[in-house]
DNA sequence: ACCCAGGTGAGGG
DNA sequence: CCCTCACCTGGG
Protein backbone atom coordinates (compact mmCIF):
# COMPACT_ATOMS: atom_id res chain seq x y z
CA UNK A 1 0.00 0.00 0.00
CA UNK A 2 1.21 3.47 -0.86
CA UNK A 3 2.51 5.51 2.04
CA UNK A 4 1.10 8.87 2.98
CA UNK A 5 4.36 10.70 2.31
CA UNK A 6 4.32 10.63 -1.47
CA UNK A 7 3.86 14.36 -1.50
CA UNK A 8 0.37 14.78 -2.78
CA UNK A 9 0.73 18.50 -2.68
CA UNK A 10 3.99 19.04 -4.51
CA UNK A 11 3.72 16.10 -6.90
CA UNK A 12 0.03 16.59 -7.56
CA UNK A 13 -1.04 15.78 -11.05
CA UNK A 14 -3.17 18.51 -12.46
CA UNK A 15 -5.64 18.25 -15.25
CA UNK A 16 -8.69 20.04 -16.48
CA UNK A 17 -11.76 17.98 -17.26
CA UNK A 18 -13.90 19.58 -19.93
CA UNK A 19 -17.51 20.06 -18.98
CA UNK A 20 -20.51 21.44 -20.82
CA UNK A 21 -22.64 24.29 -19.51
CA UNK A 22 -24.61 24.79 -17.40
CA UNK A 23 -22.69 22.47 -15.05
CA UNK A 24 -21.88 24.18 -11.73
CA UNK A 25 -19.42 22.38 -9.46
CA UNK A 26 -20.05 24.63 -6.51
CA UNK A 27 -23.79 24.05 -6.50
CA UNK A 28 -23.35 20.37 -7.19
CA UNK A 29 -21.17 19.86 -4.12
CA UNK A 30 -23.12 22.29 -1.97
CA UNK A 31 -26.74 21.35 -2.60
CA UNK A 32 -26.98 18.83 0.20
CA UNK A 33 -26.31 15.57 -1.59
CA UNK A 34 -22.80 15.10 -0.22
CA UNK A 35 -21.22 16.15 3.07
CA UNK A 36 -17.50 15.62 2.88
CA UNK A 37 -16.21 18.32 0.52
CA UNK A 38 -14.81 21.45 2.12
CA UNK A 39 -14.71 24.74 0.29
CA UNK A 40 -11.90 27.26 0.62
CA UNK A 41 -13.05 29.99 -1.69
CA UNK A 42 -13.68 28.31 -5.04
CA UNK A 43 -11.53 25.28 -4.26
CA UNK A 44 -13.21 22.15 -2.95
CA UNK A 45 -11.13 19.64 -1.05
CA UNK A 46 -12.12 16.04 -0.50
CA UNK A 47 -11.15 12.42 -0.82
CA UNK A 48 -11.85 10.28 -3.84
CA UNK A 49 -10.77 6.70 -4.35
CA UNK A 50 -8.33 6.95 -1.48
CA UNK A 51 -6.62 10.10 -2.74
CA UNK A 52 -6.72 13.63 -1.45
CA UNK A 53 -8.23 15.68 -4.25
CA UNK A 54 -8.81 19.35 -4.98
CA UNK A 55 -11.35 20.41 -7.57
CA UNK A 56 -12.05 23.87 -8.92
CA UNK A 57 -14.29 25.03 -11.71
CA UNK A 58 -12.55 27.17 -14.30
CA UNK A 59 -13.51 28.59 -17.65
CA UNK A 60 -12.23 25.55 -19.50
CA UNK A 61 -13.68 22.95 -17.18
CA UNK A 62 -13.08 21.38 -13.80
CA UNK A 63 -9.48 21.52 -12.65
CA UNK A 64 -8.49 18.41 -10.70
CA UNK A 65 -5.42 18.12 -8.51
CA UNK A 66 -4.61 14.70 -7.15
CA UNK A 67 -2.84 11.42 -7.78
CA UNK A 68 -5.57 9.89 -9.88
CA UNK A 69 -5.05 7.25 -12.56
CA UNK A 70 -6.81 7.62 -15.91
CA UNK A 71 -9.33 5.04 -14.79
CA UNK A 72 -9.97 6.92 -11.56
CA UNK A 73 -10.49 10.08 -13.56
CA UNK A 74 -13.20 8.29 -15.49
CA UNK A 75 -14.85 7.36 -12.23
CA UNK A 76 -14.43 10.88 -10.90
CA UNK A 77 -16.27 12.25 -13.92
CA UNK A 78 -19.15 9.98 -13.11
CA UNK A 79 -18.98 10.76 -9.39
CA UNK A 80 -19.16 14.50 -10.01
CA UNK A 81 -21.89 14.13 -12.62
CA UNK A 82 -19.76 15.90 -15.22
CA UNK A 83 -21.48 14.11 -18.10
CA UNK A 84 -25.06 14.63 -16.99
CA UNK A 85 -27.17 16.06 -19.84
CA UNK A 86 -28.05 19.11 -17.78
CA UNK A 87 -29.04 21.44 -20.61
CA UNK A 88 -31.61 18.92 -21.78
CA UNK A 89 -32.86 18.10 -18.28
CA UNK A 90 -33.27 21.74 -17.30
CA UNK A 91 -35.04 22.50 -20.56
CA UNK A 92 -37.55 19.80 -19.73
CA UNK A 93 -37.98 20.97 -16.15
CA UNK A 94 -38.55 24.53 -17.31
CA UNK A 95 -41.79 23.48 -18.93
CA UNK A 96 -43.06 23.64 -15.39
CA UNK A 97 -43.79 27.28 -14.57
CA UNK A 98 -42.61 27.07 -10.97
CA UNK A 99 -39.29 25.50 -11.93
CA UNK A 100 -38.94 27.92 -14.81
CA UNK A 101 -38.89 30.68 -12.24
CA UNK A 102 -36.52 28.84 -9.90
CA UNK A 103 -33.94 27.34 -12.22
CA UNK A 104 -32.31 30.63 -13.27
CA UNK A 105 -30.99 30.79 -9.70
CA UNK A 106 -30.16 27.11 -9.31
CA UNK A 107 -28.97 26.12 -12.78
CA UNK A 108 -26.02 23.78 -13.03
CA UNK A 109 -26.78 21.34 -10.23
CA UNK A 110 -25.80 17.83 -11.26
CA UNK A 111 -26.81 14.65 -9.51
CA UNK A 112 -23.71 12.82 -8.34
CA UNK A 113 -23.05 9.11 -8.27
CA UNK A 114 -21.81 8.49 -4.76
CA UNK A 115 -20.50 5.39 -3.12
CA UNK A 116 -23.59 3.64 -1.69
CA UNK A 117 -21.97 2.92 1.66
CA UNK A 118 -20.84 6.49 2.26
CA UNK A 119 -24.23 7.74 1.11
CA UNK A 120 -26.09 5.38 3.43
CA UNK A 121 -24.09 6.34 6.50
CA UNK A 122 -24.31 10.05 5.68
CA UNK A 123 -28.06 10.07 5.40
CA UNK A 124 -28.75 7.84 8.38
CA UNK A 125 -26.75 10.38 10.36
CA UNK A 126 -28.65 13.25 8.75
CA UNK A 127 -31.98 12.19 10.24
CA UNK A 128 -33.39 14.90 12.50
CA UNK A 129 -29.99 16.50 12.59
CA UNK A 130 -28.38 19.63 11.22
CA UNK A 131 -25.79 19.80 8.49
CA UNK A 132 -22.84 21.11 10.52
CA UNK A 133 -23.31 18.31 13.01
CA UNK A 134 -23.63 15.70 10.27
CA UNK A 135 -20.33 16.92 8.88
CA UNK A 136 -18.74 16.75 12.32
CA UNK A 137 -20.05 13.25 12.94
CA UNK A 138 -18.68 12.01 9.62
CA UNK A 139 -15.34 13.67 10.24
CA UNK A 140 -15.10 12.08 13.68
CA UNK A 141 -16.06 8.67 12.36
CA UNK A 142 -13.40 8.92 9.68
CA UNK A 143 -10.74 10.12 12.08
CA UNK A 144 -11.55 7.50 14.69
CA UNK A 145 -12.11 4.41 12.58
CA UNK A 146 -10.33 5.07 9.31
CA UNK A 147 -8.35 2.06 8.15
CA UNK A 148 -6.26 3.69 5.43
CA UNK A 149 -3.43 6.26 5.42
CA UNK A 150 -5.49 8.85 3.61
CA UNK A 151 -8.57 9.47 5.66
CA UNK A 152 -11.51 8.07 3.73
CA UNK A 153 -14.80 9.98 3.58
CA UNK A 154 -16.33 7.15 5.58
CA UNK A 155 -14.86 4.10 7.34
CA UNK A 156 -15.55 0.71 5.77
CA UNK A 157 -18.46 -1.50 6.86
CA UNK A 158 -16.00 -3.98 8.35
CA UNK A 159 -14.41 -1.24 10.38
CA UNK A 160 -17.66 0.10 11.75
CA UNK A 161 -19.03 -3.38 12.34
CA UNK A 162 -16.29 -3.89 14.88
CA UNK A 163 -16.88 -0.58 16.64
CA UNK A 164 -18.51 -0.57 20.03
CA UNK A 165 -21.69 1.36 20.61
CA UNK A 166 -19.83 3.43 23.11
CA UNK A 167 -17.15 4.38 20.58
CA UNK A 168 -19.78 5.19 17.98
CA UNK A 169 -21.64 7.41 20.40
CA UNK A 170 -18.38 9.26 20.84
CA UNK A 171 -18.91 10.53 17.30
CA UNK A 172 -22.00 12.56 18.25
CA UNK A 173 -24.28 9.95 16.71
CA UNK A 174 -26.70 9.82 19.64
CA UNK A 175 -29.58 7.43 19.10
CA UNK A 176 -28.33 6.75 15.55
CA UNK A 177 -25.33 4.79 16.84
CA UNK A 178 -27.20 1.45 16.95
CA UNK A 179 -28.45 2.02 13.40
CA UNK A 180 -24.90 2.60 12.17
CA UNK A 181 -23.65 -0.48 13.98
CA UNK A 182 -26.46 -2.66 12.65
CA UNK A 183 -26.17 -1.63 9.01
CA UNK A 184 -22.39 -1.98 9.24
CA UNK A 185 -22.78 -5.55 10.48
CA UNK A 186 -25.40 -6.36 7.89
CA UNK A 187 -23.21 -5.10 5.04
CA UNK A 188 -19.94 -6.50 6.42
CA UNK A 189 -21.45 -9.95 6.85
CA UNK A 190 -22.71 -9.94 3.28
CA UNK A 191 -26.30 -10.22 4.43
CA UNK A 192 -26.96 -6.95 2.66
CA UNK A 193 -25.32 -6.29 -0.71
CA UNK A 194 -25.53 -2.58 -1.55
CA UNK A 195 -24.23 -3.09 -5.08
CA UNK A 196 -26.88 -5.69 -5.73
CA UNK A 197 -29.61 -3.38 -4.45
CA UNK A 198 -28.34 -0.78 -6.91
CA UNK A 199 -28.95 -3.17 -9.78
CA UNK A 200 -32.56 -3.76 -8.79
CA UNK A 201 -35.42 -1.85 -10.38
CA UNK A 202 -36.51 1.27 -8.53
CA UNK A 203 -39.42 -0.13 -6.49
CA UNK A 204 -37.61 -3.30 -5.52
CA UNK A 205 -34.49 -1.40 -4.52
CA UNK A 206 -36.60 0.95 -2.44
CA UNK A 207 -38.24 -1.92 -0.59
CA UNK A 208 -34.86 -3.49 0.07
CA UNK A 209 -33.49 -0.25 1.50
CA UNK A 210 -36.52 0.24 3.73
CA UNK A 211 -35.73 -2.99 5.57
CA UNK A 212 -32.49 -1.49 6.90
CA UNK A 213 -32.52 -0.09 10.43
CA UNK A 214 -32.60 3.70 10.52
CA UNK A 215 -33.66 3.85 6.89
CA UNK A 216 -37.10 5.29 6.18
CA UNK A 217 -38.50 6.74 2.99
CA UNK A 218 -36.41 9.89 3.01
CA UNK A 219 -33.08 8.11 3.47
CA UNK A 220 -34.05 5.38 1.00
CA UNK A 221 -34.90 8.01 -1.61
CA UNK A 222 -31.57 9.75 -1.03
CA UNK A 223 -29.78 6.47 -1.67
CA UNK A 224 -31.78 5.83 -4.81
CA UNK A 225 -31.06 9.31 -6.10
CA UNK A 226 -27.51 10.09 -4.97
CA UNK A 227 -25.89 6.65 -5.08
CA UNK A 228 -27.91 4.61 -7.55
CA UNK A 229 -28.79 7.22 -10.15
CA UNK A 230 -32.50 6.43 -10.03
CA UNK A 231 -33.81 9.82 -11.01
CA UNK A 232 -37.47 9.12 -10.40
CA UNK A 233 -36.71 9.21 -6.65
CA UNK A 234 -38.00 12.34 -4.90
CA UNK A 235 -36.75 12.63 -1.31
CA UNK A 236 -39.23 14.63 0.74
CA UNK A 237 -37.70 16.51 3.64
CA UNK A 238 -39.26 19.42 5.46
CA UNK A 239 -37.83 21.93 2.98
CA UNK A 240 -39.03 20.19 -0.13
CA UNK A 241 -42.41 19.52 1.44
CA UNK A 242 -42.77 23.19 2.20
CA UNK A 243 -41.57 24.21 -1.25
CA UNK A 244 -44.05 21.92 -2.99
CA UNK A 245 -46.92 23.04 -0.78
CA UNK A 246 -46.16 26.68 -1.46
CA UNK A 247 -45.33 26.35 -5.11
CA UNK A 248 -48.05 23.97 -6.19
CA UNK A 249 -50.78 23.83 -3.52
CA UNK A 250 -51.19 27.48 -2.56
CA UNK A 251 -49.54 26.78 0.75
CA UNK A 252 -52.05 24.14 1.77
CA UNK A 253 -50.67 21.24 3.80
CA UNK A 254 -50.20 17.97 1.95
CA UNK A 255 -49.23 14.58 3.30
CA UNK A 256 -45.96 12.96 2.47
CA UNK A 257 -47.86 10.55 0.18
CA UNK A 258 -49.54 13.35 -1.69
CA UNK A 259 -46.23 15.10 -2.26
CA UNK A 260 -44.68 11.92 -3.63
CA UNK A 261 -47.65 11.21 -5.85
CA UNK A 262 -47.58 14.77 -7.12
CA UNK A 263 -43.86 14.61 -7.92
CA UNK A 264 -44.19 11.30 -9.74
CA UNK A 265 -47.08 12.57 -11.86
CA UNK A 266 -45.55 15.97 -12.53
CA UNK A 267 -41.87 15.22 -13.03
CA UNK A 268 -41.78 11.49 -13.73
CA UNK A 269 -38.39 10.08 -14.62
CA UNK A 270 -36.51 13.27 -13.65
CA UNK A 271 -38.32 14.01 -10.38
CA UNK A 272 -34.99 13.83 -8.57
CA UNK A 273 -33.65 16.78 -10.53
CA UNK A 274 -36.80 18.76 -9.78
CA UNK A 275 -36.25 17.96 -6.11
CA UNK A 276 -32.69 19.27 -6.19
CA UNK A 277 -33.74 22.60 -7.66
CA UNK A 278 -36.66 23.00 -5.25
CA UNK A 279 -34.47 22.11 -2.32
CA UNK A 280 -31.59 24.35 -3.26
CA UNK A 281 -33.95 27.22 -3.98
CA UNK A 282 -35.75 27.06 -0.65
CA UNK A 283 -32.45 26.89 1.21
CA UNK A 284 -30.94 29.87 -0.60
CA UNK A 285 -32.67 32.37 -2.85
CA UNK A 286 -36.15 31.27 -1.92
CA UNK A 287 -35.77 31.82 1.76
CA UNK A 288 -36.85 35.43 1.86
CA UNK A 289 -39.48 34.81 -0.74
CA UNK A 290 -41.05 31.84 0.94
CA UNK A 291 -40.81 33.66 4.22
CA UNK A 292 -40.74 30.49 6.24
CA UNK A 293 -37.38 30.93 7.79
CA UNK A 294 -36.86 32.22 11.29
CA UNK A 295 -33.13 32.59 11.20
CA UNK A 296 -30.53 33.66 8.65
CA UNK A 297 -28.53 31.19 6.64
CA UNK A 298 -25.15 30.47 8.11
CA UNK A 299 -22.49 28.94 5.97
CA UNK A 300 -21.27 25.84 7.81
CA UNK A 301 -18.28 25.48 5.50
CA UNK A 302 -16.64 28.62 6.81
CA UNK A 303 -16.35 27.40 10.36
CA UNK A 304 -13.10 28.15 12.04
CA UNK A 305 -11.63 25.91 14.70
CA UNK A 306 -12.19 27.42 18.09
CA UNK A 307 -9.22 28.16 20.25
C1' DA B 1 -32.59 27.47 30.12
C1' DC B 2 -34.88 26.30 26.10
C1' DC B 3 -35.49 25.58 21.32
C1' DC B 4 -34.31 23.80 17.09
C1' DA B 5 -32.54 20.59 13.45
C1' DG B 6 -32.78 17.78 5.99
C1' DG B 7 -36.45 11.53 10.21
C1' DT B 8 -37.45 6.89 11.97
C1' DG B 9 -40.06 3.51 14.40
C1' DA B 10 -43.77 2.23 17.28
C1' DG B 11 -48.44 2.79 18.63
C1' DG B 12 -53.26 4.21 17.98
C1' DG B 13 -57.33 5.89 15.21
C1' DC C 1 -53.04 5.45 5.23
C1' DC C 2 -52.74 9.36 8.64
C1' DC C 3 -51.38 11.34 12.99
C1' DT C 4 -48.62 11.62 17.30
C1' DC C 5 -44.48 11.04 20.07
C1' DA C 6 -40.01 10.08 21.85
C1' DC C 7 -35.45 10.35 20.60
C1' DC C 8 -29.08 11.92 21.25
C1' DT C 9 -26.84 16.20 21.09
C1' DG C 10 -24.27 20.67 19.91
C1' DG C 11 -25.26 25.26 18.63
C1' DG C 12 -28.28 29.51 18.59
Amino acid sequence: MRGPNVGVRSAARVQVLPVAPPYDLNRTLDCGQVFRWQFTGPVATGVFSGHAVRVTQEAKGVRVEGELSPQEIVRLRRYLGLDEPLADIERQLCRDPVLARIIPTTTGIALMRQDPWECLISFIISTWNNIPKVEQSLAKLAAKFSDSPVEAPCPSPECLAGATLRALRGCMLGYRAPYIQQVARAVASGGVDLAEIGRMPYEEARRALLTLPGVGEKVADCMLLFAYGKYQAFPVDVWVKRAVERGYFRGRARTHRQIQAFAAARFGAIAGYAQQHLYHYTRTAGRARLGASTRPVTDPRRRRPRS
Side-chain angles (χ1 to χ4, degrees):
Chain A
M1 179 161 273
R2 185 200 297 264
N5 59 341
V6 177
V8 171
R9 192 183 312 172
S10 58
R13 296 232 321 261
V14 179
Q15 56 199 108
V16 177
L17 312 182
V19 61
Y23 184 90
D24 188 315
L25 179 69
N26 209 313
R27 281 183 190 148
T28 294
L29 291 177
D30 199 28
C31 67
Q33 59 183 320
V34 68
F35 294 94
R36 295 284 277 142
W37 289 85
Q38 295 287 325
F39 275 91
T40 309
V43 182
T45 307
V47 174
F48 182 80
S49 191
H51 307 285
V53 173
R54 286 155 49 94
V55 291
T56 321
Q57 185 156 22
E58 300 177 338
K60 291 176 185 167
V62 171
R63 173 191 174 91
V64 179
E65 300 170 59
E67 298 283 330
L68 298 177
S69 70
Q71 192 189 359
E72 287 172 326
I73 288 290
V74 170
R75 293 202 292 115
L76 182 68
R77 287 199 71 93
R78 183 175 156 90
Y79 171 79
L80 293 174
L82 293 179
D83 296 307
E84 292 290 287
L86 295 186
D88 190 46
I89 287 167
E90 292 185 7
R91 189 161 39 242
Q92 288 184 62
L93 291 177
C94 281
R95 289 198 219 121
D96 175 275
V98 173
L99 289 179
R101 192 162 51 81
I102 286 175
I103 285 181
T105 66
T106 61
T107 181
I109 295 173
L111 254 2
M112 299 173 64
R113 196 66 68 94
Q114 293 180 234
D115 169 61
W117 174 246
E118 180 190 339
C119 190
L120 178 61
I121 294 305
S122 298
F123 284 95
I124 286 178
I125 293 175
S126 81
T127 64
W128 196 14
N129 210 339
N130 54 58
I131 293 172
K133 201 148 82 75
V134 175
E135 292 173 344
Q136 287 180 53
S137 283
L138 286 168
K140 284 205 175 203
L141 270 181
K144 201 161 181 174
F145 300 106
S146 190
D147 40 8
S148 64
V150 175
E151 186 183 289
C154 176
S156 67
E158 294 72 22
C159 221
L160 292 183
T164 64
L165 233 34
R166 181 184 173 74
L168 290 172
R169 280 182 185 277
C171 300
M172 307 193 303
L173 296 177
Y175 63 89
R176 307 167 191 86
Y179 296 152
I180 300 295
Q181 190 185 55
Q182 287 169 52
V183 295
R185 289 180 175 171
V187 172
S189 72
V192 169
D193 185 339
L194 293 181
E196 185 185 0
I197 293 175
R199 281 181 238 112
M200 296 173 181
Y202 173 76
E203 291 290 353
E204 190 185 351
R206 196 168 194 265
R207 279 195 298 274
L209 291 168
L210 287 174
T211 67
L212 300 177
V215 177
E217 302 202 2
K218 160 62 163 62
V219 174
D221 286 335
C222 286
M223 281 287 283
L224 291 164
L225 192 56
F226 304 142
Y228 295 144
K230 303 205 184 285
Y231 294 167
Q232 64 268 60
F234 191 88
V236 180
D237 58 44
V238 292
W239 297 101
V240 168
K241 183 170 186 289
R242 192 146 43 203
V244 170
E245 287 168 347
R246 289 182 187 248
Y248 299 94
F249 294 101
R250 302 178 157 274
R252 308 290 298 184
R254 297 287 102 138
T255 67
H256 183 100
R257 279 280 181 277
Q258 290 173 313
I259 304 265
Q260 294 255 64
F262 165 80
R266 183 82 160 208
F267 307 117
I270 53 172
Y273 265 101
Q275 192 268 6
Q276 286 298 282
H277 290 285
L278 288 166
Y279 176 78
H280 195 252
Y281 181 75
T282 56
R283 302 286 330 241
T284 56
R287 247 171 198 273
R289 224 179 170 322
L290 293 172
S293 164
T294 55
R295 69 183 177 84
V297 185
T298 54
D299 184 356
R301 291 170 200 288
R302 298 289 158 76
R303 274 192 324 274
R304 292 182 166 282
R306 312 188 56 143
S307 52

